[in-house]
Amino acid sequence: EATVLKDITFNIKPGEVVALVGENGSGKTTLAKLLCRLYDPTRGRISLEGIPLEQFDIDALRHEISVIFQDFAQYNLSVDDNIRFGNIDMPDPDSTAVKNAAMNAGADRIIKNLPDQYQTILGKLFTDGVELSMGQWQMIALARAFLRDARIIVLDEPTSSLDPSTEYQVFSRFRNLMETK
């Protein structure tokens, strides 16, 4: 019932990286969900290249957006499957794209130390599964977001569980990758 966001106006240019900073409960996640059209605004409008989001086909719009939320999913499947969920339309044999996404997210350092590398089952749901730390899971989720060749990337606290050094490395790689987004 309460208004979460009020009187917000901004433009983001192609290749521009914007960070939204605010207190807990200030509406950052709500704004991220509005940008992805998971919510529609009750007032005002959000537009892409001057066209209101609601005029776009929702599936086509979402295909152009890659997102990772602070409560990202942790799938008790292989590392490869966990990353591939970032682009379910990708042809199966393309392991190069999966490895590139892992490298761009910095997850390749974790994966090379796993018993079966990309085929290692993650999580403890299955007996042979390997549990990762929250920071390691977050890097796998980042690789998932990097796998999709989306024009718009939305990250909602994507490095909250990473140590400062890893966070710096991820954001440095992220800035380079996003120059054309």
Side-chain angles (χ1 to χ4, degrees):
E1 297 295 320
T3 300
V4 177
L5 301 168
K6 185 178 174 187
D7 298 327
I8 295 177
T9 302
F10 61 90
N11 294 301
I12 302 173
K13 297 176 182 83
E16 189 173 21
V17 176
V18 176
L20 301 174
V21 180
E23 295 179 6
N24 290 338
S26 64
K28 298 180 302 290
T29 297
T30 299
L31 183 57
K33 290 180 178 182
L34 284 163
L35 292 172
C36 297
R37 199 154 174 237
L38 297 176
Y39 301 154
D40 285 324
T42 53
R43 280 186 294 228
R45 74 179 188 140
I46 300 171
S47 59
L48 178 62
E49 296 177 354
I51 302 167
L53 285 189
E54 59 271 7
Q55 290 183 16
F56 287 91
D57 174 78
I58 198 155
D59 290 330
L61 176 69
R62 289 186 182 154
H63 192 269
E64 294 298 329
I65 299 173
S66 184
V67 63
I68 177 174
F69 289 108
Q70 55 189 320
D71 57 349
F72 58 88
Q74 300 172 14
Y75 301 105
N76 285 260
L77 298 168
S78 72
V79 170
D80 187 74
D81 287 338
N82 265 275
I83 296 172
R84 281 179 189 275
F85 283 144
N87 186 356
I88 58 173
D89 297 325
M90 189 181 77
D92 259 352
D94 192 357
S95 62
T96 304
V98 171
K99 288 178 181 173
N100 285 339
M103 183 184 66
N104 289 330
D108 58 328
R109 296 181 330 220
I110 298 161
I111 297 166
K112 74 178 181 182
N113 292 318
L114 295 173
D116 296 316
Q117 296 187 350
Y118 286 86
Q119 297 314 310
T120 302
I121 302 297
L122 299 179
K124 284 298 193 180
L125 182 64
F126 300 105
T127 355
D128 57 347
V130 173
E131 189 57 70
L132 300 179
S133 71
M134 279 308 293
Q136 291 171 324
W137 271 113
Q138 199 159 34
M139 292 176 86
I140 298 293
L142 277 167
R144 184 182 315 141
F146 289 162
L147 184 64
R148 177 175 293 211
D149 187 26
R151 292 176 47 206
I152 301 168
I153 312 291
V154 178
L155 305 175
D156 181 20
E157 297 191 33
T159 59
S160 60
S161 296
L162 300 181
D163 62 81
S165 173
T166 303
E167 180 180 34
Y168 175 78
Q169 292 170 11
V170 167
F171 275 121
S172 295
R173 278 193 294 271
F174 177 72
R175 278 192 172 284
N176 292 333
L177 290 168
M178 299 304 106
E179 287 177 354
T180 60
K181 307 293 181 192

